[in-house]
Structures are given as C-alpha cells and as structure tokens.
Amino acid sequence: MAASSVFLAVLLVALQLLHVAHGEIKTTPIASDSRPVILFEEFGFKPGGVAEVSVSDVSWSVPEGSQLQAVDPGLMGFMLISNTLFFKITNESEYAEETGAAFCPLTSEYVMPLFRLKDVGPDGKGKGTVTIPAADQYTVLFSSCQDGVEVTMDVRTEMYNLVGGNGRDYLPVGLLPLPGIFAVASAVYFAFLAAWLFVCVRQRATAERIHAVMGALLLFKALKLACAAEDSWYVERTGTAHGWDVAFYVFGFFKGILLFTVIVLIGTGWSFLKPYLQDRERNVLMIIIPLQVIENIASAMIGETGPAGRDWLAWNQIFLLVDVVCCCAVFFPIIWSIRNLREASKTDGKAARNLKKLTLFKQFYLVVVGYLYFTRIAVSAFAAVLSYRYQWVVNVSVEMASLAFYVFVFYNFQPVERNPYLYVADEEEEAAGGQLELEGTFEI
C-alpha cells in the first residue's frame, strides 16, 4: 500500500534523527486511530532478549462514508522489525506499488510477527512475545493494511535483555553505561559548584549578581544529571522511572532557562560592562524565557508520550524550532556588545581596556556559536550514523562539550580582585591603540 510505504519511510527518518524513548515499560492509549503504521518503541537487543506486547480494550470501527464494507482483523497487527531491514521493507512496498499489487507489511519476510487483532480474545485482550535470535536494534510497530479503519486499544510494551539467571535489563545495549556516565558528570558539576562558591566567597568584594546566577546554573545542571542517573538506573532494573523523570524535567526546566539567561546577560555585558540592561536586551530575555518554557513542555511531551502519539512528530518539530529561535536570539546581545566596545574604543581613550574586553567578547561569541552548533546539529548528525551499540557516546560527547563550555565561561567571567580591565599600564595602552586601529574593519 502506498500509505504504508510513505509512513515507513517517514518513521525510518524519525528513528535516525529524532530522540525516541528507550527501555521503559509503557502503556500507550490508542483512540480511534486510522494510521497505517504506528511506531511504539525501539530497543537494542542482545541475543535471547525478549519483546512483549499486550493489548486490552481492543475495538475497531469504520467511519461514515468509508468504502470499506467489512473489517478483517487479520490485516491488522503488531510486528518487530530490525532497523537494518527497514529499507528492504520499503523496497518491497515500492515494488508492489509499481506493479499494482497489494502489499501489507505484516506479510513481509523481513518482519517478526507478534500477533494480529484476529487473535484477540472475546475480552478484548491479546498478547505476543518474541525472543530475539540475533543482536540488533529492533522496532515495535502496529500495521493496519485496511485504509480508514479506526482502532482503539491500550497497548503495553515491554522489552528487555536477560542477565544472569532470570534477571532483566530494561536499558538497551547502547545505553547501558548511562547511569555511570550521568553519575560521574553530576559529581563533576557538584565539584565545579563547590569550586565556584569558594572563588565567589574569596572574592566576595568583587562578586556581582551575575555570579550568583551562574552558580544557580551549575546547581540545576548538577541536579538534572543526578536525576538522570537515578532515572536511568531505575529504568535499567525495573523498567519504570519511579518519579525520577518528573524531577529530571523540573531541574532541566530551570537549567535550560538559566543557561540562556546567563548567555544573554554575559553577552550584554551586564555586571561586566554596565550594571543595567537596555530595553532591547530586556526584550531578548522576555522572548527567550517563554520560549524556554515552551521548549521544556515539548521536551516532556516527547519523552512521555513516545513515538506512538499522533502529535509526537509535531512536538519534535516545535522543540527544534523553538531551540533554533533561542539559539539565534542569544547571539544578538553579544553582537551588540562587540559593536558598542568597538565604538567606545574610538571615543573614550581607553584603548587597552576596550581591546581586552573586545577580544574576550569575540571569543565568547565564537565559543557560544561552536557550543550551540555542536550540541544541536553536529551531535544529531553523529547519532544518525553511530551504531546502536555506542549510543552512549552521544551523551558523553554532549556532556564533554557542555563542560568545556562551562569551564571557558566561568573561568573568563569569574570575580577577580584585580580586574585586568581596570588596571592598564601605559605601554599596554599605546600597543592596544594600534591594535584597535588594525581591527577597525572587523565585522560580525
């Protein structure tokens, strides 16, 4: 069927480029859904792993005006597909479309059938279990090969690898190191926070309000990672998050707002160049903060509803769009500060001081660009080509890039007793004046 071919292609792209929920035991309500293909979960299996899908309260109907005379429950059902075989099923569908033959993914030789709705009992319940023969990443899908049939049911998915005797491991193969990775990263940020507090207390005479905001950012970053470690640890052993995902979203919400707020405040030079914000700079903050609220809501919806939800792709698009807008918005205050410093260097006679500030803000601009580009674009491209066995490498890459970014920002904008911007020797002043003349053509 053409619709199935299109949906399979879209889902394959989504699996490669978007974040799909992993590991948790989930019950997903499906209400009057006529989609030809519904993606539920994907999981990296070891040989002997188990995939279980059970349904309850199953019913189906044909909407008014449909040309379908009768519903065949044998043409609707659940299946397991190796992600490496998606393209073969898509090719089968396209070939059938070209030859005018009917194609149903449930009949493909490349799928592992779980059960069909014709196997559902009179009580509206059904269940299918598959033992994985070979290690790979698999996806659970529901396929309906009857256009227009609306299906209603509650679907419970449970996937795990066997460990030891009868032990179950609910984290996919590629995410097994996550609890340790997040725990180590959290400990690093708590140590970072302790060092930052020590510096601020020691230099409290020169500490500004921005330094308190930066400390809060470190705190929420460390708490978010601690919750991520607990969340992944509980999921690995029980298949459920035990509420740690709620704390994860809460701390992630405050961390996201504070990160962009700190970038904007430093970019405007607040507390470093001036003790106030101009109207246009306040407007940037008033734009970014509500957008961060929307982004965190979208992130929670993506994580909790899973790819089976009708709006899952839409929430992903909202998340990406808002993130791009926020990333673009934070560049404007930095550019304004650079231009203001360049203009001031021509009029206030403080060439050396302005050169140091200008150099620092140029570096800050480049680092922000590099950090946002890497964590938003480069990492996604890297994840798309990375083997499912090494998905944890993506998390390590993001955390290392984040730590490098934080270290740069906090080191360069720490409170210092003898501010290099305020104590300038005469020879430095003369040398800086010539340097600023040479940089007169610099533009961003």
Side-chain angles (χ1 to χ4, degrees):
M1 297 173 66
S4 295
S5 175
V6 173
F7 266 78
L8 282 172
V10 171
L11 290 173
L12 178 58
V13 173
L15 284 170
Q16 292 177 329
L17 299 180
L18 302 177
H19 298 289
V20 180
H22 295 277
E24 291 184 49
I25 300 172
K26 284 196 172 182
T27 299
T28 306
I30 302 296
S32 301
D33 202 322
S34 60
R35 285 178 290 173
V37 177
I38 302 176
L39 183 154
F40 282 91
E41 295 292 336
E42 67 171 358
F43 195 87
F45 285 101
K46 298 176 182 178
V50 177
E52 296 181 0
V53 176
S54 57
V55 295
S56 59
D57 299 325
V58 178
S59 63
W60 53 80
S61 62
V62 179
E64 294 184 6
S66 174
Q67 298 179 352
L68 192 65
Q69 299 299 319
V71 177
D72 182 359
L75 294 178
M76 299 181 291
F78 290 86
M79 57 187 175
L80 202 65
I81 304 177
S82 168
N83 286 9
T84 57
L85 298 179
F86 256 103
F87 75 96
K88 291 187 177 182
I89 301 173
T90 304
N91 290 342
E92 277 187 322
S93 178
E94 292 175 349
Y95 177 76
E97 184 179 349
E98 292 173 358
T99 58
F103 173 75
C104 181
L106 291 169
T107 63
S108 173
E109 62 178 305
Y110 302 111
V111 308
M112 300 173 64
L114 283 159
F115 67 95
R116 302 194 186 190
L117 295 193
K118 68 178 182 180
D119 304 318
V120 173
D123 58 354
K125 295 181 179 180
K127 182 178 180 180
T129 303
V130 170
T131 300
I132 306 302
D136 203 347
Q137 188 161 11
Y138 292 81
T139 300
V140 174
L141 297 135
F142 172 81
S143 177
S144 173
C145 298
Q146 298 178 101
D147 290 338
V149 176
E150 296 180 345
V151 179
T152 299
M153 56 187 170
D154 291 330
V155 182
R156 183 181 185 273
T157 55
E158 181 175 356
M159 291 177 283
Y160 54 86
N161 290 306
L162 296 175
V163 292
N166 297 319
R168 297 181 178 184
D169 197 334
Y170 288 95
L171 276 185
V173 171
L175 300 182
L176 288 175
L178 281 192
I181 291 171
F182 289 140
V184 170
S186 176
V188 169
Y189 278 99
F190 275 119
F192 196 163
L193 174 61
W196 181 251
L197 293 175
F198 174 76
V199 171
C200 290
V201 170
R202 189 179 63 177
Q203 305 293 348
R204 55 184 174 274
T206 56
E208 303 283 354
R209 288 172 292 175
I210 182 65
H211 297 121
V213 179
M214 294 165 73
L217 170 59
L218 285 179
L219 174 62
F220 284 111
K221 174 69 173 177
L223 290 173
K224 177 188 175 183
L225 287 169
C227 291
E230 290 285 353
D231 180 55
S232 55
W233 184 81
Y234 269 106
V235 168
E236 180 183 4
R237 284 156 178 77
T238 67
T240 59
H242 288 296
W244 285 105
D245 52 346
V246 176
F248 172 81
Y249 291 127
V250 170
F251 292 132
F253 168 76
F254 288 108
K255 173 261 175 186
I257 290 178
L258 285 173
L259 174 61
F260 281 92
T261 300
V262 166
I263 292 175
V264 170
L265 292 178
I266 291 179
T268 61
W270 183 65
S271 291
F272 295 101
L273 303 180
K274 56 193 178 185
Y276 59 88
L277 294 176
Q278 297 178 350
D279 289 340
R280 64 180 182 181
E281 295 161 350
R282 292 194 189 96
N283 291 336
V284 171
L285 278 176
M286 291 303 101
I287 292 172
I288 286 178
I289 292 175
L291 286 178
Q292 279 296 298
V293 174
I294 296 173
E295 181 178 341
N296 280 274
I297 293 173
S299 177
M301 293 297 296
I302 292 168
E304 293 305 306
T305 61
R310 294 184 183 182
D311 300 327
W312 183 73
L313 284 173
W315 280 113
N316 268 286
Q317 291 168 349
I318 292 172
F319 176 85
L320 294 174
L321 175 62
V322 172
D323 200 41
V324 168
V325 173
C326 288
C327 292
C328 293
V330 298
F331 294 140
F332 289 103
I334 309 175
I335 294 173
W336 295 335
S337 293
I338 291 174
R339 289 178 176 172
N340 291 338
L341 285 169
R342 188 182 299 114
E343 293 297 321
S345 67
K346 301 176 182 177
T347 58
D348 64 5
K350 300 175 182 178
R353 191 182 307 167
N354 287 321
L355 177 60
K356 289 186 177 182
K357 293 177 181 177
L358 185 59
T359 300
L360 179 58
F361 276 81
K362 287 179 184 176
Q363 292 173 348
F364 180 63
Y365 173 83
L366 294 176
V367 169
V368 170
V369 170
Y371 170 70
L372 295 178
Y373 173 83
F374 180 81
T375 55
R376 268 66 178 177
I377 300 175
V379 165
S380 296
F382 180 48
V385 300
L386 192 65
S387 168
Y388 75 95
R389 297 183 182 89
Y390 306 106
Q391 291 175 333
W392 58 270
V393 176
V394 175
N395 300 88
V396 172
S397 300
V398 170
E399 294 307 328
M400 289 182 65
S402 298
L403 181 60
F405 175 74
Y406 280 55
V407 169
F408 172 86
V409 173
F410 280 67
Y411 176 79
N412 283 281
F413 294 96
Q414 63 179 305
V416 289
E417 183 176 356
R418 186 176 175 84
N419 195 319
Y421 301 148
L422 302 179
Y423 299 90
V424 180
D426 293 339
E427 58 273 15
E428 287 185 273
E429 185 74 23
E430 295 177 3
Q435 180 66 26
L436 282 171
E437 291 181 5
L438 293 175
E439 293 190 0
T441 57
F442 176 82
E443 291 292 341
I444 292 182

